[in-house]
Amino acid sequence: MNIKTYFPIFDWGSRYNRQTLTSDLIAAIIVTIMLIPQSLAYALLAGLPPEVGLYASILPLIAYAIFGTSSALAVGPVAVVSLMTATAVGRLAAEGTADYASAAIILALLSGVMLTLMGLFRLGFIANFLSHPVISGFITASGIIIATSQIGGLLGIRTEGHAMPELVMSILGNIGQVNVYTLAVGVVAVALLLWIRLDLKNWLARFGVPKGVATIIVRAGPVLVVFLTMAWSVGMDLGAKGVSLVGQVPQGLPMLSLPGFNLDTIQQLAVPALIISIVGFVESISVAQTLAAKRRERISPNQELIGLGASNIAAGLGGGYPVTGGFARSVVNFDAGAATPAAGAFTAIGIAAATLLLTPFLAILPKATLSATIVIAVLTLVDFSILKRAWSYSKADFAAVAFTLAGTLLLGVEAGISLGVGASILIFLYRSSQPHAAIVGQVPGTEHYRNIKRHQVDTVPGVLSIRVDESLYFANTRYLEDLVINQATANPGLTDVVLMCSAVNTIDMSALESLEAIEHRLADLGVRLHLSEVKGPVMDKLKHTDFLTHLSGSAHLSQHQAITAILAARDPSAPPTDPALRAAQ
């Protein structure tokens, strides 16, 4: 461990040169253009004033540049975390109040502290409890909820709730109050954003626009839509026609400050902060590792925890809300040629300049434009193909996806992710409580032993060889005990049982007691118990017990040695060869 371990900036910074500076600056310009409308939109999704999205896109990027390890990850507000923030904070305070903003800041600080501690104590493995099917189901459901929540903004009506039942009911209840001017702005904005995303690059190519220039124009598309609808707002005085506008946005950079803390608020936000931390980390590390693999770079998961933790602490200090690495903007950052995390710091400078210079003009921006921006942005989150793939590959994984998807849609994001994790753990426990175990025999002419149901193999009369394909612990010991005894009682001429332990990585105390019970019950039947292919760490633990001393059989290095030793004990004059093995059958 050295200073570069915890401060990667000293590592890549020592190699920084003019070429990487140019690459980072170009990437920062493109990402800044993309991030401005997204930051404003995601802040509204979180129930916060639009400028808070800009605040959450300044200091966190600088903090990540100091502590992060990915050259392409772009940190900032993202759709799913914004929705989770609104859900968590909305239970404590009314939207638009000072208490609401303070709670969002506290949530960012709690998340930052948790992520940092997880990184310092190397607890990144906690994220493994969120399986890919669970994350896919959760993100798909969140995307649907986010898109539905923006229908009100596109129609000019009020919507409430953070789960589908409440959202649908509020939309239906207020559908008669649709503002046609807001609807027109929303439809036009959605259509333009879709066209920009799907066809603008091809359209520009037909006119001979260079590919690099076309890419920049496409990335700047949402900003162009913002300016277009702002001009529309002024030209037709949309505010006077009932169209909801962003309104006055404070000009200037965020001031470093801390909100008032109280124990009750911290207790109520602790669990949501932990869930946001884990979900954000999983999303961020997945993107970072995918992009790093394309450049053969190395990502340190535990240092990424520290980097994201520092980013969230910076977001809290700068008046923002929880942030994480975003997929879309990180891909843009990567494609634009970002060479180091400094690209994020330059992006922060660009966002800061926008906060100083552009915020006076945002007052005339229709909120329907930001709603359209969110709807188009979350389209990539919705992926129903995971249901089909999970159903065809694993019904258990399908159940985890379905539980997560349904739970999130019906009950909200926190309940949904909790149901998904719970379903995954229950499925794991169920699978491991009934481990796959196969009766094996020798593949003729080899020293390999395979499942008698899958291969043509030789077996020895009076010898039962069982391969256990799972570590042994309290949840599956009874299953193994019943399996062995049932097989033993069903074979009257049985003299030896060999447990092939090549897949057993650990044996806990309950499993040891179960093995002792198997030994005693087989001894009562006049059957010897043997072990084979026990791994070194497992054998080391067994040697500290009396089990091996009282074992009626022996522990053998390989399954073949175990069978050969059993045959040799029956007929000491027979050579321990494969022909002798087959002749004994």
Side-chain angles (χ1 to χ4, degrees):
M1 292 290 181
N2 54 47
I3 192 171
K4 293 181 179 180
T5 302
Y6 293 105
F7 295 89
I9 188 173
F10 290 111
D11 182 22
W12 58 261
S14 63
R15 303 187 301 272
Y16 209 72
N17 54 44
R18 181 175 297 179
Q19 181 179 353
T20 52
L21 172 63
T22 302
S23 299
D24 287 342
L25 284 173
I26 294 173
I29 292 171
I30 296 174
V31 174
T32 299
I33 294 172
M34 176 185 183
L35 192 54
I36 290 172
Q38 278 194 357
S39 298
L40 297 169
Y42 290 152
L44 291 179
L45 176 60
L48 295 162
E51 68 270 13
V52 175
L54 297 175
Y55 298 163
S57 302
I58 300 175
L59 293 181
L61 278 75
I62 296 174
Y64 184 82
I66 297 172
F67 295 97
T69 61
S70 172
S71 62
L73 190 70
V75 174
V78 300
V80 173
V81 171
S82 297
L83 175 63
M84 297 176 75
T85 298
T87 302
V89 176
R91 291 197 296 261
L92 302 183
E95 187 176 319
T97 64
D99 289 340
Y100 190 99
S102 295
I105 293 173
I106 292 173
L107 189 65
L109 292 171
L110 286 175
S111 178
V113 171
M114 289 177 179
L115 286 164
T116 303
L117 290 176
M118 288 168 63
L120 291 174
F121 290 100
R122 309 181 70 81
L123 299 179
F125 70 89
I126 292 177
N128 296 334
F129 287 105
L130 292 180
S131 66
H132 177 70
V134 167
I135 286 293
S136 297
F138 173 72
I139 290 179
T140 293
S142 297
I144 296 171
I145 291 174
I146 291 168
T148 305
S149 71
Q150 298 309 301
I151 291 177
L154 296 174
L155 300 179
I157 61 177
R158 181 176 178 81
T159 56
E160 297 177 345
H162 302 292
M164 288 301 290
E166 295 91 342
L167 286 170
V168 171
M169 291 303 296
S170 65
I171 291 172
L172 295 177
N174 297 313
I175 197 68
Q177 302 173 19
V178 173
N179 182 289
V180 292
Y181 294 97
T182 302
L183 176 60
V185 173
V187 170
V188 170
V190 168
L192 284 174
L193 290 169
L194 272 176
W195 176 70
I196 289 169
R197 171 171 289 197
L198 300 178
D199 196 48
L200 178 57
K201 183 176 284 189
N202 297 330
W203 189 80
L204 292 172
R206 288 196 294 269
F207 283 88
V209 178
K211 184 177 179 181
V213 176
T215 299
I216 294 176
I217 294 174
V218 170
R219 301 305 184 195
V223 176
L224 298 178
V225 174
V226 167
F227 286 131
L228 176 62
T229 53
M230 287 169 64
W232 188 359
S233 174
V234 173
M236 293 190 64
D237 194 13
L238 294 179
K241 294 178 172 63
V243 176
S244 180
L245 306 179
V246 169
Q248 191 63 40
V249 177
Q251 187 176 9
L253 296 175
M255 300 295 293
L256 294 179
S257 62
L258 286 174
F261 289 90
N262 66 76
L263 184 60
D264 183 59
T265 300
I266 293 174
Q267 289 176 339
Q268 293 186 64
L269 291 177
V271 173
L274 179 61
I275 296 175
I276 288 174
S277 299
I278 295 177
V279 170
F281 172 65
V282 170
E283 180 178 355
S284 179
I285 197 67
S286 299
V287 176
Q289 289 179 333
T290 299
L291 298 179
K294 294 182 179 181
R295 292 179 176 173
R296 297 187 178 182
E297 295 176 345
R298 178 180 173 273
I299 297 296
S300 170
N302 288 307
Q303 183 60 33
E304 281 298 291
L305 282 167
I306 296 174
L308 290 176
S311 298
N312 277 278
I313 292 173
L317 294 176
Y321 69 101
V323 298
T324 191
F327 176 77
R329 72 176 69 102
S330 296
V331 172
V332 171
N333 200 33
F334 178 88
D335 291 341
T340 71
F346 295 141
T347 300
I349 295 173
I351 298 294
T355 305
L356 288 171
L357 303 176
L358 300 181
T359 49
F361 303 100
L362 295 176
I364 57 176
L365 175 64
K367 289 186 178 179
T369 304
L370 298 180
S371 293
T373 301
I374 294 173
V375 170
I376 299 304
V378 300
L379 287 179
T380 56
L381 301 181
V382 180
D383 178 20
F384 287 111
S385 66
I386 184 64
L387 290 169
K388 180 180 179 181
R389 287 184 281 121
W391 177 263
S392 61
Y393 184 76
S394 169
K395 301 300 186 291
D397 286 333
F398 174 82
V401 175
F403 268 113
T404 307
L405 187 63
T408 303
L409 289 175
L410 298 177
L411 303 176
V413 289
E414 291 179 12
I417 197 71
S418 299
L419 279 175
V421 173
S424 297
I425 293 175
L426 287 176
I427 290 169
F428 167 76
L429 291 175
Y430 174 77
R431 285 172 169 171
S432 61
S433 68
Q434 300 187 41
H436 180 266
I439 298 175
V440 299
Q442 184 187 26
V443 178
T446 73
E447 295 185 1
H448 298 292
Y449 289 76
R450 295 292 184 267
N451 192 335
I452 63 173
K453 295 181 179 180
R454 295 178 179 271
H455 303 272
Q456 294 294 326
V457 295
D458 295 332
T459 58
V460 177
V463 178
L464 175 66
S465 297
I466 300 178
R467 189 188 67 222
V468 183
D469 295 333
E470 183 69 66
S471 293
L472 300 178
Y473 74 116
F474 65 90
N476 61 22
T477 54
R478 177 63 64 180
Y479 177 86
L480 177 64
E481 189 174 337
D482 292 342
L483 173 66
V484 173
I485 299 306
N486 289 340
Q487 288 289 332
T489 54
N491 292 273
L494 192 66
T495 60
D496 297 89
V497 171
V498 183
L499 291 182
M500 186 176 175
C501 302
S502 53
V504 177
N505 295 314
T506 184
I507 297 176
D508 74 358
M509 196 69 180
S510 297
L512 176 62
E513 292 176 357
S514 187
L515 288 176
E516 291 172 343
I518 292 172
E519 160 66 22
H520 292 314
R521 296 180 67 179
L522 289 178
D524 292 340
L525 296 173
V527 178
R528 293 182 295 273
L529 176 64
H530 306 264
L531 303 178
S532 73
E533 303 190 14
V534 181
K535 293 185 175 180
V538 178
M539 183 61 75
D540 291 341
K541 296 186 71 174
L542 291 179
K543 286 179 179 178
H544 287 89
T545 70
D546 296 332
F547 175 71
L548 296 177
T549 304
H550 299 135
L551 189 64
S552 56
S554 302
H556 301 274
L557 184 63
S558 70
Q559 179 69 17
H560 188 67
Q561 287 185 5
I563 297 299
T564 302
I566 291 171
L567 289 174
R570 290 182 180 178
D571 184 5
S573 63
T577 61
D578 290 342
L581 173 64
R582 289 193 294 273
Q585 300 183 56

